[in-house]
Amino acid sequence: MSNLVWPSSLPQRPTVGGYQERFAETVLRTAMDAGAAKLRRRFTAAPRQIELTFRMTAAHVAVLRSFYEETTGGGALPFDWVHPREGGVAEYRFMEAPRVSAATAVLFSVSLKLEQLP
């Protein structure tokens, strides 16, 4: 596990409908000249992709920006956080910079794309 932790001052659960998970792809597919493709396991463990959307205040966005830019070094360093569906602590890394858009006059919609490390 990582020494860094998702800030407790930020929302811990995504918005309803703001969660998508893609299971790890560990199979290599090879097309054949004829017939079905050949499949073989390439890895025993691989990262899972998770996309999350949160409603945040301007203060939350400022905390997230500091966490992303300074604490994780622009997303380079992993951090620990409770998995939204499974409930256990797991290690994550940003796959891309967070996206922020206005949701209301005082709330922002924040989209994150993370990978859960094996």
Side-chain angles (χ1 to χ4, degrees):
M1 290 291 166
S2 171
N3 292 331
L4 305 178
V5 178
W6 178 260
S8 61
S9 60
L10 290 178
Q12 300 299 306
R13 309 265 312 154
T15 59
V16 174
Y19 174 83
Q20 288 186 341
E21 180 178 349
R22 184 174 179 179
F23 295 151
E25 292 186 28
T26 59
V27 174
L28 180 63
R29 178 181 293 271
T30 305
M32 299 287 107
D33 289 338
K38 297 272 184 184
L39 297 163
R40 71 175 173 88
R41 187 170 218 172
R42 187 173 180 187
F43 310 107
T44 56
R48 285 193 267 174
Q49 295 178 12
I50 298 176
E51 294 183 34
L52 307 144
T53 303
F54 295 93
R55 288 288 174 117
M56 294 188 182
T57 64
H60 286 137
V61 174
V63 170
L64 177 62
R65 182 178 178 182
S66 174
F67 179 69
Y68 174 76
E69 291 179 353
E70 297 168 22
T71 307
T72 68
L77 300 174
F79 59 93
D80 292 342
W81 187 38
V82 175
H83 190 283
R85 181 179 54 79
E86 296 174 348
V89 175
E91 191 173 41
Y92 297 88
R93 189 168 49 197
F94 288 97
M95 293 182 69
E96 59 186 42
R99 291 175 294 165
V100 179
S101 59
T104 70
V106 295
L107 290 176
F108 298 89
S109 179
V110 178
S111 299
L112 302 178
K113 192 179 243 186
L114 306 175
E115 61 182 353
Q116 181 183 353
L117 301 175

